[in-house]
Amino acid sequence: MARPTPTIEEPPHAPRGEGRLRRVWRAAHEPAAGVPRRARRVAYGVPLVVLPSGIWRLGVLFTEDKQGGVIEDWAMNGYIVFLTLFSEVLAFTAVGLVARWGEVFPRWMPRLRGRRVPTAAAVVPAAIGATILTLVFTVIATVTTVTQSKINGDPLPADFPSEAGGWEAVYFYAAYLPLVLWGPMLGILTYAYWRRRASATTGPLLPPTVGNRW
């Protein structure tokens, strides 16, 4: 007979006078047991690393084309907005590697509330994501920037943002350069999450062993 998945006691509810938005914020950022402050700082920094590139993309919506008219391709505009929002949501999942909801299913999830999140369910996709992000933004993007060429060796097109020169190129690099850190930061958080969960017993979640600073 299969052993039931253990449940974890829910934390006390927030005060009734607290606003809904603040309650959601607190629940999303409530740290898991044993998570050091430096790990939380790295996790909270991931969405900030992704934010500048999103701001740059949204700025494209208000850019004028060569004829001086405002861009009216609604499909492309919708894609830009979706990509920006999706990128931020994806970046925020890094917080789950240090937050309680990344180790214990929250109360709003029926049949799963209070149960442990399987370690592999968080570590495997996070490790894959960290690998892909590191390859795309840390390795390929860096090589492309240094060589000023595409992956296949062809030169970058004349209308590529970095080819504009002046402040436009500086703004582009300032917006996208932080993405170089996304993959490595996620990788660090994934390893720390795996170590913390591996050090936990089969009972209630306990802090990691002494000496595990991550």
Short mmCIF file of all heavy atoms in Angstrom, two decimals, residues 2-3 6 10 21 29 32-33 53-54 63 75 79 89 92-93 115 131 138 154 159-161 182 209:
data_model
loop_
_atom_site.label_atom_id
_atom_site.label_comp_id
_atom_site.label_asym_id
_atom_site.label_seq_id
_atom_site.Cartn_x
_atom_site.Cartn_y
_atom_site.Cartn_z
N ALA A 2 0.63 2.17 -0.91
CA ALA A 2 1.47 3.36 -1.04
C ALA A 2 1.29 4.28 0.15
O ALA A 2 0.18 4.46 0.66
CB ALA A 2 1.15 4.10 -2.33
N ARG A 3 2.39 4.83 0.60
CA ARG A 3 2.34 5.76 1.71
C ARG A 3 1.79 7.09 1.25
O ARG A 3 2.17 7.60 0.19
CB ARG A 3 3.74 5.97 2.29
CG ARG A 3 4.32 4.73 2.92
CD ARG A 3 5.71 5.04 3.44
NE ARG A 3 5.65 6.13 4.41
CZ ARG A 3 6.74 6.67 4.96
NH1 ARG A 3 7.93 6.26 4.59
NH2 ARG A 3 6.62 7.65 5.83
N PRO A 6 3.00 13.20 2.86
CA PRO A 6 2.80 13.97 4.09
C PRO A 6 2.36 15.38 3.80
O PRO A 6 2.73 15.98 2.80
CB PRO A 6 4.20 13.94 4.74
CG PRO A 6 5.14 13.72 3.60
CD PRO A 6 4.40 12.84 2.64
N GLU A 10 -0.22 24.48 7.67
CA GLU A 10 -0.28 25.78 7.03
C GLU A 10 0.11 26.87 8.03
O GLU A 10 -0.20 26.78 9.22
CB GLU A 10 -1.69 26.08 6.50
CG GLU A 10 -2.07 25.22 5.31
CD GLU A 10 -1.34 25.67 4.06
OE1 GLU A 10 -0.81 26.79 4.06
OE2 GLU A 10 -1.29 24.89 3.11
N LEU A 21 -4.01 42.40 -2.09
CA LEU A 21 -2.78 42.45 -2.85
C LEU A 21 -1.57 42.21 -1.95
O LEU A 21 -0.64 41.48 -2.33
CB LEU A 21 -2.65 43.80 -3.55
CG LEU A 21 -1.41 43.98 -4.45
CD1 LEU A 21 -1.43 42.93 -5.57
CD2 LEU A 21 -1.39 45.38 -5.04
N HIS A 29 6.12 35.54 -1.39
CA HIS A 29 7.51 35.77 -0.99
C HIS A 29 7.85 35.16 0.37
O HIS A 29 8.98 35.33 0.85
CB HIS A 29 7.81 37.26 -0.96
CG HIS A 29 7.80 37.91 -2.31
ND1 HIS A 29 6.63 38.30 -2.93
CD2 HIS A 29 8.81 38.23 -3.16
CE1 HIS A 29 6.93 38.84 -4.10
NE2 HIS A 29 8.22 38.81 -4.27
N ALA A 32 10.89 29.71 2.62
CA ALA A 32 10.83 28.37 3.18
C ALA A 32 11.80 28.27 4.34
O ALA A 32 12.72 29.08 4.49
CB ALA A 32 11.17 27.33 2.11
N ALA A 33 11.60 27.25 5.17
CA ALA A 33 12.47 27.07 6.33
C ALA A 33 13.89 26.78 5.89
O ALA A 33 14.13 25.98 4.99
CB ALA A 33 11.94 25.91 7.18
N SER A 53 15.11 44.37 -20.15
CA SER A 53 14.85 43.96 -21.53
C SER A 53 13.37 44.08 -21.86
O SER A 53 13.01 44.41 -23.00
CB SER A 53 15.33 42.52 -21.76
OG SER A 53 14.66 41.62 -20.89
N GLY A 54 12.51 43.81 -20.88
CA GLY A 54 11.08 43.98 -21.11
C GLY A 54 10.71 45.43 -21.33
O GLY A 54 9.87 45.75 -22.19
N THR A 63 7.88 53.34 -30.89
CA THR A 63 8.92 53.77 -31.82
C THR A 63 8.30 54.10 -33.17
O THR A 63 7.39 53.43 -33.63
CB THR A 63 9.97 52.65 -32.00
OG1 THR A 63 10.53 52.34 -30.73
CG2 THR A 63 11.08 53.11 -32.93
N ALA A 75 -0.60 42.56 -34.27
CA ALA A 75 -0.15 41.21 -33.96
C ALA A 75 1.24 41.24 -33.34
O ALA A 75 1.51 40.57 -32.34
CB ALA A 75 -0.16 40.35 -35.22
N TYR A 79 2.36 40.40 -29.49
CA TYR A 79 3.42 39.44 -29.21
C TYR A 79 4.47 40.05 -28.28
O TYR A 79 4.95 39.38 -27.36
CB TYR A 79 4.08 39.00 -30.52
CG TYR A 79 5.37 38.23 -30.32
CD1 TYR A 79 5.32 36.90 -29.91
CD2 TYR A 79 6.61 38.82 -30.54
CE1 TYR A 79 6.50 36.18 -29.71
CE2 TYR A 79 7.78 38.11 -30.34
CZ TYR A 79 7.72 36.80 -29.94
OH TYR A 79 8.89 36.10 -29.74
N VAL A 89 6.92 36.54 -15.68
CA VAL A 89 6.32 35.42 -14.94
C VAL A 89 7.31 34.27 -14.84
O VAL A 89 7.47 33.64 -13.78
CB VAL A 89 5.02 34.96 -15.62
CG1 VAL A 89 4.50 33.68 -14.97
CG2 VAL A 89 3.95 36.05 -15.52
N PHE A 92 9.90 35.06 -12.36
CA PHE A 92 9.41 35.02 -10.97
C PHE A 92 9.37 33.59 -10.42
O PHE A 92 9.39 33.40 -9.21
CB PHE A 92 8.02 35.64 -10.88
CG PHE A 92 7.50 35.73 -9.47
CD1 PHE A 92 7.97 36.72 -8.62
CD2 PHE A 92 6.57 34.83 -8.99
CE1 PHE A 92 7.52 36.79 -7.31
CE2 PHE A 92 6.11 34.90 -7.69
CZ PHE A 92 6.58 35.90 -6.85
N THR A 93 9.33 32.59 -11.29
CA THR A 93 9.32 31.22 -10.79
C THR A 93 10.59 30.90 -10.02
O THR A 93 10.61 29.96 -9.22
CB THR A 93 9.17 30.21 -11.95
OG1 THR A 93 10.25 30.38 -12.89
CG2 THR A 93 7.85 30.41 -12.68
N ARG A 115 0.60 19.56 0.84
CA ARG A 115 1.48 18.43 0.56
C ARG A 115 2.83 18.93 0.05
O ARG A 115 2.94 20.02 -0.50
CB ARG A 115 0.85 17.49 -0.48
CG ARG A 115 -0.44 16.85 -0.01
CD ARG A 115 -0.99 15.90 -1.06
NE ARG A 115 -2.23 15.28 -0.63
CZ ARG A 115 -2.29 14.16 0.07
NH1 ARG A 115 -1.18 13.53 0.41
NH2 ARG A 115 -3.45 13.65 0.44
N THR A 131 20.02 25.71 -17.81
CA THR A 131 20.94 25.31 -18.88
C THR A 131 20.64 26.05 -20.18
O THR A 131 21.54 26.57 -20.85
CB THR A 131 20.87 23.79 -19.11
OG1 THR A 131 21.19 23.11 -17.89
CG2 THR A 131 21.84 23.36 -20.19
N THR A 138 23.96 33.70 -21.98
CA THR A 138 25.31 33.86 -21.45
C THR A 138 26.37 33.49 -22.48
O THR A 138 27.42 34.14 -22.56
CB THR A 138 25.49 33.01 -20.18
OG1 THR A 138 24.43 33.27 -19.28
CG2 THR A 138 26.81 33.33 -19.51
N ASP A 154 27.02 34.81 -40.38
CA ASP A 154 26.66 35.98 -41.18
C ASP A 154 26.69 37.24 -40.31
O ASP A 154 26.38 37.19 -39.12
CB ASP A 154 25.27 35.81 -41.78
CG ASP A 154 25.21 34.67 -42.79
OD1 ASP A 154 26.28 34.30 -43.30
OD2 ASP A 154 24.10 34.16 -43.05
N ASP A 159 19.74 46.83 -39.52
CA ASP A 159 18.69 47.36 -38.65
C ASP A 159 18.68 46.70 -37.28
O ASP A 159 17.75 46.92 -36.49
CB ASP A 159 17.33 47.19 -39.32
CG ASP A 159 17.00 45.72 -39.63
OD1 ASP A 159 17.91 44.87 -39.51
OD2 ASP A 159 15.84 45.43 -39.99
N PHE A 160 19.68 45.88 -36.97
CA PHE A 160 19.74 45.26 -35.65
C PHE A 160 19.98 46.37 -34.62
O PHE A 160 20.75 47.31 -34.88
CB PHE A 160 20.88 44.24 -35.59
CG PHE A 160 20.80 43.31 -34.40
CD1 PHE A 160 19.88 42.29 -34.37
CD2 PHE A 160 21.65 43.49 -33.31
CE1 PHE A 160 19.80 41.44 -33.27
CE2 PHE A 160 21.57 42.65 -32.21
CZ PHE A 160 20.64 41.62 -32.20
N PRO A 161 19.32 46.31 -33.44
CA PRO A 161 19.41 47.42 -32.48
C PRO A 161 20.82 47.83 -32.12
O PRO A 161 21.11 49.02 -31.95
CB PRO A 161 18.65 46.88 -31.26
CG PRO A 161 17.67 45.90 -31.84
CD PRO A 161 18.38 45.28 -33.01
N TRP A 182 20.90 35.66 -15.89
CA TRP A 182 19.68 34.90 -15.60
C TRP A 182 19.96 33.41 -15.42
O TRP A 182 19.59 32.81 -14.39
CB TRP A 182 18.67 35.14 -16.72
CG TRP A 182 17.30 34.63 -16.45
CD1 TRP A 182 16.87 33.99 -15.31
CD2 TRP A 182 16.15 34.72 -17.30
NE1 TRP A 182 15.53 33.68 -15.41
CE2 TRP A 182 15.07 34.11 -16.62
CE3 TRP A 182 15.95 35.24 -18.58
CZ2 TRP A 182 13.81 34.02 -17.19
CZ3 TRP A 182 14.68 35.15 -19.15
CH2 TRP A 182 13.63 34.55 -18.46
N THR A 209 21.41 21.15 7.11
CA THR A 209 22.45 20.88 8.08
C THR A 209 23.32 22.10 8.26
O THR A 209 23.45 22.95 7.40
CB THR A 209 23.31 19.71 7.61
OG1 THR A 209 23.84 20.03 6.31
CG2 THR A 209 22.50 18.44 7.53
#
